[in-house]
């Protein structure tokens, strides 16, 4: 069986788990803590980023762009594609996926996850210790504009990139869901974004993410609640 | 004719110019200064990132991932593909392209280009003024490890991702060429990396980049010299 090196609160890993599940593809999940810089992991992806996908035939795809496109090439077909059908739709899907992977993660998710999750696992000399709450606040201060963007797109269209669910929705939901685990998404600030998230959270592909548990960090009750 | 919104010293734009040229695809280049945040540009790409590609039929692809895959889908075929042939080669190409677009740009190219190029165009109240040379030094302090990685890959393989030229080479060369314009690449530190760059610099697709000129910043003579 194919294997996925992932971390439960890594948004890039979550996006790939959702994508595989939407295609009904089975995968063995192997938890990796990228900050531990395990030699076997760095050999598979020298950049030290998750996820890494190892196919049945040992083909390796490393990093979210490579894994995501690899899975599309393997699975998209008569069941449709999570990239979209036309060239324009596919460009829009990729533009929005990059928005969340780069801009959202850089401005919001990366700093918050670093401070509230990763820092607690680091040794004192390697950046471990108390979260820098000013960095958390600065990140969360920018989350509303992203929710507003999601809200606006999902009102113009059925899903973020167009009429149907695409990797853009999976990317956005993957990033937001990590912060939702921390109770840090102000859903009441945008009803349309909340309604979009309710739809995607109700999908069978989302269930395994709602059952994730990171030791020492208990999610709020609303995290797994479809009526949050 | 298709149009590309680009900036001469934007590494993401350069990668797409190389890709289009390798496929022999004509494009009208339109210079865009992304830091000016022109309304018409932000409408095409709300993230404010270059490049933006506008096809003959008005289809828009925005951001390097979307544009790059769009062009692959349109042009790859019996002339081969710049992604590679097998699924494993394609994953390796995308892994390495992401290495340069994310890791290299974050650690080296982004800070150096911000300080030495973009800052001179910004208003005083908006971050303009004297380059912060400590940020330049910190960025350039990490360039050697990337040259060593390029050198090691190009010695194991013919090109970075395998036997033939791929988007991985174009991405790496695009990022390095922007710093080379500033005279900031210590080529003598890795002979294999230099030899790889000589090969790619000699390709016809590279010529237009060597003729680029940004007002107020004169490249060193070696920038356009194939025997640097």
């Amino acid at each position: 069986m194919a294997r996925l090196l992932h971390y439960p609160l890594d948004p890039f890993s979550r996006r790939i788990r959702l994508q595989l599940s939407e295609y009904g593809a089975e995968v063995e999940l192997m938890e990796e803590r990228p900050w531990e810089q395990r030699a076997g992991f760095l050999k598979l992806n020298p950049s030290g980023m998750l996820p890494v996908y190892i196919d049945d035939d040992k083909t390796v795809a490393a990093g979210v762009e490579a894994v995501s496109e690899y899975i599309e090439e393997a699975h998209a077909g008569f069941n449709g594609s999570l990239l979209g059908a036309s060239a324009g739709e596919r460009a829009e899907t990729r533009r929005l996926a990059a928005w969340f992977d780069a801009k959202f993660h850089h401005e919001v998710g990366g700093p918050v996850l670093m401070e509230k999750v990763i820092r607690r696992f680091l040794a004192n000399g390697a950046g471990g210790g108390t979260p820098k709450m000013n960095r958390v606040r600065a990140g969360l201060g920018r989350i509303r504009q992203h929710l507003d963007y999601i809200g606006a797109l999902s009102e113009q269209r059925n899903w973020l990139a167009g009429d149907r669910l695409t990797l853009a929705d999976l990317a956005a939901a993957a990033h937001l869901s990590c912060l939702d685990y921390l109770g840090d998404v102000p859903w009441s600030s945008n009803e349309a974004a909340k309604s979009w998230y309710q739809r995607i959270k109700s999908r069978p592909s989302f269930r395994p993410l709602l059952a994730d548990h990171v030791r020492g960090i208990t999610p709020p009750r609303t995290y797994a609640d479809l009526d949050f």
Side-chain angles (χ1 to χ4, degrees), chain A residues 11-13 15-16 19 49-51 62-69 101:
Chain A
F12 306 101
S13 304
R15 167 173 153 193
I16 300 301
Q19 183 186 12
M49 295 282 286
L50 286 171
V64 70
E65 297 89 352
V67 179
S68 176
E69 297 284 345
D101 286 350

Side-chain angles (χ1 to χ4, degrees), chain A residues 11-23 64-73 75-76 80-85 89-101 159-162 164-175 196 200 203 205-206:
Chain A
F12 306 101
S13 304
R14 285 189 160 218
R15 167 173 153 193
I16 300 301
R17 289 165 67 196
L18 290 170
Q19 183 186 12
L20 286 165
S21 183
E22 287 288 339
Y23 281 124
V64 70
E65 297 89 352
V67 179
S68 176
E69 297 284 345
Y70 183 92
I71 293 168
E72 283 305 303
E73 291 180 5
H75 291 284
S81 159
L82 287 168
L83 279 165
E89 285 167 15
R90 296 160 78 84
E92 183 66 351
T93 296
R94 289 178 172 123
R95 175 184 77 79
L96 285 166
W99 174 287
F100 291 99
D101 286 350
W159 293 95
L160 294 189
R164 56 185 186 168
L165 181 89
T166 67
L167 295 179
D169 300 283
L170 303 187
H175 284 276
W196 162 85
I200 199 161
R203 297 180 75 85
S205 64
F206 222 85

Side-chain angles (χ1 to χ4, degrees), chain A residues 2-228:
Chain A
R3 288 173 293 161
L4 185 74
L5 273 57
H6 85 118
Y7 182 71
L9 291 184
D10 174 64
F12 306 101
S13 304
R14 285 189 160 218
R15 167 173 153 193
I16 300 301
R17 289 165 67 196
L18 290 170
Q19 183 186 12
L20 286 165
S21 183
E22 287 288 339
Y23 281 124
E26 293 204 3
V27 68
E28 182 187 353
L29 294 178
M30 307 183 72
E31 186 170 324
E32 182 72 42
R33 297 176 169 198
W35 57 87
E36 292 179 354
Q37 307 197 352
R38 189 172 60 84
F41 166 58
L42 291 181
K43 199 171 167 192
L44 291 167
N45 194 10
S47 79
M49 295 282 286
L50 286 171
V52 174
Y53 184 76
I54 306 156
D55 210 345
D56 287 337
D57 67 0
K58 311 281 185 233
T59 303
V60 174
V64 70
E65 297 89 352
V67 179
S68 176
E69 297 284 345
Y70 183 92
I71 293 168
E72 283 305 303
E73 291 180 5
H75 291 284
F78 58 88
N79 277 328
S81 159
L82 287 168
L83 279 165
S86 71
E89 285 167 15
R90 296 160 78 84
E92 183 66 351
T93 296
R94 289 178 172 123
R95 175 184 77 79
L96 285 166
W99 174 287
F100 291 99
D101 286 350
K103 193 172 169 67
F104 181 90
H105 187 68
H106 177 72
E107 294 178 354
V108 184
V112 173
L113 292 166
M114 178 66 207
E115 297 305 325
K116 294 181 82 169
V117 180
I118 298 172
R119 205 174 284 292
R120 71 173 63 204
F121 296 107
L122 300 177
N124 273 333
T130 318
K132 297 177 180 159
M133 290 309 290
N134 59 327
R135 291 196 74 210
V136 173
R137 275 189 298 272
L140 294 177
R142 301 174 89 165
I143 199 172
R144 278 188 172 79
Q145 67 194 67
H146 290 278
L147 291 178
D148 289 347
Y149 191 39
I150 288 171
L153 288 170
S154 68
E155 285 188 317
Q156 286 163 33
R157 306 161 172 179
N158 191 23
W159 293 95
L160 294 189
D163 280 347
R164 56 185 186 168
L165 181 89
T166 67
L167 295 179
D169 300 283
L170 303 187
H175 284 276
L176 282 165
S177 70
C178 291
L179 301 186
D180 201 38
Y181 185 98
L182 302 170
D184 279 337
V185 184
W187 291 114
S188 58
S189 75
N190 191 301
E191 278 302 317
K194 181 177 177 178
S195 161
W196 162 85
Y197 193 67
Q198 272 170 329
R199 277 191 289 150
I200 199 161
K201 193 174 173 178
S202 306
R203 297 180 75 85
S205 64
F206 222 85
R207 265 178 228 149
L209 275 61
L210 299 179
D212 275 349
H213 193 79
V214 172
R215 194 161 48 115
I217 311 180
T218 305
R221 200 181 41 76
T222 52
Y223 171 69
D225 195 342
L226 295 182
D227 191 22
F228 51 102

